[in-house]
Structures are given as structure tokens and as C-alpha cells.
């Protein structure tokens, strides 16, 4: 849910693919946030409640996107050919996520504008 506890972001199956929705818990109204044929998440609220980070395969692979709730604009913040999944916001304002871009799953962080990509873990490659 949103940091202030008034809204809930969730994904739901629409025409055989997942879309993002937000529900106002006080009024019960639900608003669809995304509309495309690809899979949209596992939504994660920003600490300020103004943005939602999610993973989507709407490009050539699964990447991390950020949706600004005031403008309804979506920005892709990761562009590597590997898959980027499970975004979560840190208290430092960056988005933390898992990626297999190095050949094994690692944890990375990136700024909400796509800057400052940092690899945080170092898992040995399989067989080493």
C-alpha cells in the first residue's frame, strides 16, 4: 500500500495479461494505471507515495519502470538485455532490484531517473 495507507497498488489479470491498478481504500474506487499487451510490478510504492516502480516485459526483456502518479507518465529506468525484476524503493530514494544481467542473479540499485546504477552483490558464476 501507499506510505500513507490510503491507497493500494496491485496487479490483476486483464485479457490474459497483468496490468497495474490502484484502489482508494476510503472510497473503494479503482483506477487502471497501465494498459498494454505485456506483463506489468509487482508494484512498489515510492516513500513519498507519488511514484510506483514495477517490472514489465513491455520492451525486449523484463525491465524496471517508474510510473509518476501525478502525470501518469511511465519511464524505463533499466535498459540492460538481462531481466530486471522485483523492484523495491530504498530510504535513499533509489530503486533496488534483482537482475541476471551478469549471468547470475544479483542485487542492483538505480536512481529513479535511471542514473547511478550500482551492483551490490557478487555471486560466483555457476561451476566456479
Amino acid at each position: 500500500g501507499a506510505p500513507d495507507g490510503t491507497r493500494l497498488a496491485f496487479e490483476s489479470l486483464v485479457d490474459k495479461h497483468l496490468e497495474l491498478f490502484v484502489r482508494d481504500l476510503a472510497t473503494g474506487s479503482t483506477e487502471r494505471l497501465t494498459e498494454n499487451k505485456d506483463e506489468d510490478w509487482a508494484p512498489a510504492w515510492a516513500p513519498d507515495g507519488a511514484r510506483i516502480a514495477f517490472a514489465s516485459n513491455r520492451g525486449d526483456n523484463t525491465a524496471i519502470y517508474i510510473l509518476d502518479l501525478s502525470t501518469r507518465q511511465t519511464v524505463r529506468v533499466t535498459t540492460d538485455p538481462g531481466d530486471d525484476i522485483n523492484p523495491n524503493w530504498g530510504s535513499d530514494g533509489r530503486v533496488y532490484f534483482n537482475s541476471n544481467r551478469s549471468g547470475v542473479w544479483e542485487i542492483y540499485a538505480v536512481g529513479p531517473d535511471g542514473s547511478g546504477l550500482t551492483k551490490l552483490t557478487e555471486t560466483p558464476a555457476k561451476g566456479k
Side-chain angles (χ1 to χ4, degrees), residues 32-56:
R32 186 174 178 172
L33 300 177
T34 60
E35 190 169 344
N36 58 72
K37 62 181 174 44
D38 302 304
E39 299 292 327
D40 295 330
W41 95 11
W45 286 93
D48 62 7
R51 296 166 291 173
I52 294 176
F54 64 97
S56 176

Side-chain angles (χ1 to χ4, degrees), residues 92-106:
D92 60 0
R94 298 193 304 165
V95 177
Y96 291 76
F97 62 95
N98 298 102
S99 178
N100 65 359
R101 62 182 61 204
S102 69
V104 294
W105 289 101
E106 302 281 4

Side-chain angles (χ1 to χ4, degrees), residues 45-109:
W45 286 93
D48 62 7
R51 296 166 291 173
I52 294 176
F54 64 97
S56 176
N57 68 353
R58 62 178 63 186
D60 51 354
N61 64 320
T62 303
I64 305 299
Y65 293 80
I66 294 180
L67 171 66
D68 184 309
L69 293 171
S70 63
T71 65
R72 295 297 191 256
Q73 290 187 348
T74 300
V75 176
R76 182 175 178 169
V77 295
T78 63
T79 58
D80 190 88
D83 288 323
D84 302 330
I85 61 172
N86 300 329
N88 281 291
W89 291 86
S91 60
D92 60 0
R94 298 193 304 165
V95 177
Y96 291 76
F97 62 95
N98 298 102
S99 178
N100 65 359
R101 62 182 61 204
S102 69
V104 294
W105 289 101
E106 302 281 4
I107 299 172
Y108 292 80

